[in-house]
Structure formats: structure tokens, C-alpha cells
């Protein structure tokens, strides 16, 4: 069990790596946590005044297999089940210390464990968890609707309690959120059956058409006020394919027409100003597909904005780790 600390939670961050890439068809995201650390993520957060504790990368080698029957359309189910249980347990332990957990991925299937951990923690505290899904994809498929059977495309559906992966957590407590507390933002690729399910559940979607028409500021303000009106807290699940591929090529599932550099920074700055964010995923960074660390550096800069880095004195990951800092 991770020991409690007395320091204010808003000044402490707990980092947990999840080197997993079997939830996607393109391998390589298991190198994501190392790339984010190499790009200066921890140093940048410390330069912003946070006490950062790196809990290292999780391993599931000692996590026992369960005996439930795997769904017919869920690739690598047994291994992802082990990851989900481990992330749910360890993420919950980090949250209980009062620190802000940051989960370094890894593909988006890790969110089935990380978000469950956060929802369980805040349920214990008596507050509602809302989830902002910054992603080109909705990830709201189930084994019954999926075209690919890749489980990174089922993460949002699982965290909202959809059927089909009911044994994924085993004996680990499941804490699904109501679909009304999920916000898909920047979406531009949704499967047909997935779209039908999203409409049925009344999930809020700010797709790129809406962003183009109304602007990031209006849509983010609307969502933030929704969370604040319920005295909720916010988990941000940041898939780097939220960004346009010209800006962030290091992902395996690129979709043209994503968020620009300015739009993405505005999202993160508004989230920082809201003071509602209490946990974060950074997922789908694939260094094998990146261009000399470019996507990792952009991701780190965006996380810097989320945690209070100002444009007027912005320090990039490269100069944030310069000698003498």
C-alpha cells in the first residue's frame, strides 16, 4: 500500500507507466512511457512546482490469469484483463494518497483500468467523476459492435458500464460512470454500430465539425460548466491522435483533420484554469512511428499547459532539462 502524505494534493503528482500495446493492431506503444520521460515530462512538471513521484512502469507478470470465458471478439483479452486489474488496483492506491495520478501509455485499453480506479476513488469520496475523451475515435465499441476486435476501441464503452466485458476486472471492484458524464472531444472517426450506441446513450460529442463551427473555447466552457454545476471532478484521457497528424505523426491510428497546436493548447489551458482535473491518461504515443521524438515533445508541452505552464514564459521540454535548472 502506498503511504499517505500530508502535502496538498494539488501540488503532488504520481506517475505510473503502463507499457501496453496489445490493445491495438499497430505495435509500439509499449515504448510510450519511456519516450514521455525522455522528452522531459517529469522535469517539466517539477519545474512548475509539483512534487513528482514516479512509481515506474507496471508489470503484469505476477498477475494471475482468471478462468472466465473470453468474449469471441476481443483480441488479447486475457492479457488486457491482467493489465486492467493491475492498473485499477495501483491507480486506486495512488489516488488514495491525494496525489494527481498520471498514467503513461501504452494504448488506450489502459483507460479501462485507470478510469475505473479514478471512478472508484471519487465514488468513495462522494463526488462524481467526469471524463474528457480527447481522441480522434469514440472508442465506444463492444464485442458485439466492433469491426476490428481491438480492445483499445472498447475503452470508453467499458468505463460507461456497457455489456460484453463484464469479467474483465475479476474481483477488482468496478465503478462505471454514467454515459452522461463522458465527453468525446475532437472525434472524427466513429463506426456505424458504435454511432448508434452513442446516440442511444446520449453521449455528448464535440466532433471536429462542431469545433470548426463554434470553436474550442465555447465548447470547452460548456463542458467545464457542466462538471462544475455538479461539483464533479475531471479525468482527462488524452490520446495523441486527437492532434492533427501533421503535428503528431507518432501514432498508429492517424486520422486527418485533427486539433491544431493552438486549439490543443487552448483546451489544456482552459482545463488548467478550471481547477477540476484530478487525473490524466496520455495514450497511443508510438515512438517507433515518430519523427525524432517530435510527437513526444508536443505531448509533453501540452501536459505542461494542463498543469499551468504559461505562454509568456513557456519552456519547451528540451530547454526545461537544460543544465543549471
Amino acid at each position: 500500500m502506498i503511504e499517505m502524505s500530508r502535502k496538498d494534493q494539488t501540488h503532488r503528482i504520481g506517475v505510473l507507466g503502463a507499457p501496453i500495446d496489445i490493445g491495438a493492431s499497430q505495435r509500439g506503444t509499449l515504448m510510450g512511457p519511456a519516450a514521455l520521460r525522455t522528452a522531459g515530462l517529469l522535469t517539466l512538471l517539477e519545474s512548475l512546482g509539483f512534487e513528482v513521484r514516479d512509481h515506474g512502469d507496471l508489470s503484469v507478470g505476477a498477475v494471475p490469469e482468471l478462468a472466465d470465458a473470453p468474449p469471441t471478439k476481443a483480441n488479447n483479452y486475457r492479457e488486457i484483463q491482467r493489465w486492467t486489474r493491475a492498473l485499477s488496483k495501483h491507480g486506486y492506491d495512488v489516488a488514495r494518497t491525494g496525489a494527481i495520478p498520471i498514467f503513461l501509455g501504452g494504448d488506450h485499453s489502459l483507460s479501462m483500468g485507470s478510469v475505473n480506479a479514478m471512478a472508484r476513488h471519487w465514488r468513495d469520496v462522494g463526488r462524481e467523476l467526469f471524463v474528457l475523451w480527447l481522441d480522434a475515435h469514440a472508442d465506444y465499441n463492444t464485442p458485439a459492435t466492433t469491426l476490428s476486435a481491438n480492445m483499445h476501441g472498447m475503452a470508453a464503452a467499458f468505463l460507461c458500464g456497457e455489456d460484453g466485458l463484464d469479467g474483465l476486472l475479476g474481483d477488482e471492484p468496478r465503478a462505471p460512470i454514467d454515459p452522461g458524464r463522458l465527453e468525446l472531444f475532437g472525434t472524427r472517426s466513429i463506426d456505424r454500430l458504435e454511432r448508434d450506441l452513442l446516440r442511444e446513450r446520449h453521449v455528448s460529442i464535440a466532433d471536429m465539425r462542431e469545433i470548426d463551427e463554434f470553436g474550442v473555447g465555447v465548447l470547452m466552457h460548456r463542458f467545464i460548466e457542466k462538471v462544475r454545476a455538479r461539483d464533479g471532478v475531471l479525468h482527462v484521457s488524452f490520446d495523441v491522435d486527437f492532434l492533427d497528424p501533421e503535428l503528431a505523426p507518432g501514432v498508429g491510428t492517424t486520422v486527418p483533420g485533427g486539433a491544431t497546436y493552438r486549439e490543443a493548447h487552448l483546451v489544456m489551458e482552459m482545463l488548467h484554469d478550471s481547477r477540476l482535473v484530478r487525473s490524466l491518461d496520455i495514450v497511443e504515443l508510438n515512438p517507433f512511428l515518430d519523427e525524432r521524438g517530435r510527437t513526444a515533445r508536443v505531448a509533453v508541452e501540452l501536459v505542461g499547459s494542463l498543469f499551468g505552464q504559461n505562454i509568456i514564459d513557456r519552456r519547451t521540454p528540451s530547454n526545461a532539462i537544460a543544465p543549471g535548472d
Side-chain angles (χ1 to χ4, degrees):
M1 182 65 66
I2 298 169
E3 293 182 1
M4 296 289 289
S5 167
R6 294 181 181 179
K7 194 167 183 179
D8 184 353
Q9 66 170 2
T10 59
H11 292 92
R12 292 189 296 116
I13 289 173
V15 174
L16 190 61
I20 175 174
D21 67 358
I22 52 174
S25 56
Q26 176 72 55
R27 307 301 290 267
T29 56
L30 62 82
M31 299 183 287
L36 289 165
R37 290 184 177 100
T38 302
L41 176 63
L42 276 62
T43 303
L44 178 57
L45 292 170
E46 288 170 345
S47 76
L48 294 172
F50 291 92
E51 176 189 316
V52 181
R53 180 176 177 186
D54 188 353
H55 296 278
D57 288 350
L58 273 180
S59 169
V60 296
V63 178
E65 285 196 359
L66 301 182
D68 60 313
T72 54
K73 293 181 70 177
N75 294 338
N76 301 305
Y77 172 82
R78 192 63 73 200
E79 189 71 8
I80 291 172
Q81 183 180 54
R82 296 165 76 192
W83 276 105
T84 302
R85 291 158 60 209
L87 278 160
S88 181
K89 178 186 182 304
H90 289 282
Y92 178 73
D93 288 346
V94 172
R96 287 191 65 214
T97 69
I100 298 172
I102 298 181
F103 300 88
L104 309 182
D107 69 64
H108 221 154
S109 64
L110 74 83
S111 296
M112 293 190 279
S114 65
V115 178
N116 187 74
M118 297 304 100
R120 181 185 168 201
H121 167 69
W122 289 107
R123 183 178 65 183
D124 291 350
V125 173
R127 295 182 70 183
E128 292 181 308
L129 180 73
F130 288 73
V131 177
L132 179 64
W133 204 259
L134 299 174
D135 197 328
H137 308 86
D139 294 341
Y140 211 88
N141 273 302
T142 70
T145 67
T146 181
L147 299 174
S148 69
N150 292 327
M151 290 184 66
H152 71 158
M154 305 181 195
F158 176 79
L159 67 91
C160 288
E162 298 292 346
D163 295 335
L165 297 172
D166 306 285
L168 196 61
L169 282 162
D171 293 332
E172 185 72 15
R174 187 174 182 183
I177 69 168
D178 185 275
R181 288 189 265 138
L182 172 67
E183 176 86 7
L184 305 181
F185 200 92
T187 318
R188 52 195 188 277
S189 177
I190 306 177
D191 298 332
R192 182 179 59 81
L193 293 177
E194 184 181 31
R195 187 182 301 275
D196 293 343
L197 190 54
L198 287 163
R199 284 174 176 162
E200 231 177 272
R201 300 295 187 259
H202 303 290
V203 174
S204 180
I205 305 173
D207 61 15
M208 291 310 298
R209 161 66 191 267
E210 265 200 277
I211 290 173
D212 288 343
E213 188 170 356
F214 299 105
V216 162
V218 170
L219 298 174
M220 282 301 302
H221 179 74
R222 180 186 69 184
F223 174 64
I224 287 167
E225 288 308 307
K226 176 181 174 181
V227 178
R228 185 173 281 124
R230 299 268 289 272
D231 190 31
V233 295
L234 184 55
H235 176 93
V236 176
S237 200
F238 170 38
D239 184 325
V240 293
D241 74 18
F242 164 68
L243 306 169
D244 191 84
E246 290 295 317
L247 175 62
V251 296
T253 51
T254 55
V255 183
T260 67
Y261 187 80
R262 289 170 60 183
E263 288 171 333
H265 273 290
L266 180 56
V267 167
M268 296 304 187
E269 289 164 0
M270 291 184 72
L271 288 171
H272 169 73
D273 292 346
S274 77
R275 307 296 182 185
L276 296 171
V277 177
R278 290 293 178 270
S279 49
L280 170 70
D281 302 324
I282 312 169
V283 302
E284 299 288 355
L285 170 63
N286 190 330
F288 184 74
L289 303 174
D290 204 3
E291 299 172 358
R292 302 178 66 183
R294 177 180 166 196
T295 305
R297 291 195 300 272
V298 169
V300 168
E301 289 178 8
L302 289 168
V303 174
S305 287
L306 178 61
F307 286 97
Q309 187 178 32
N310 295 317
I311 288 177
I312 56 172
D313 61 355
R314 185 176 304 285
R315 308 197 313 167
T316 67
S318 55
N319 67 35
I321 57 175
D325 274 7

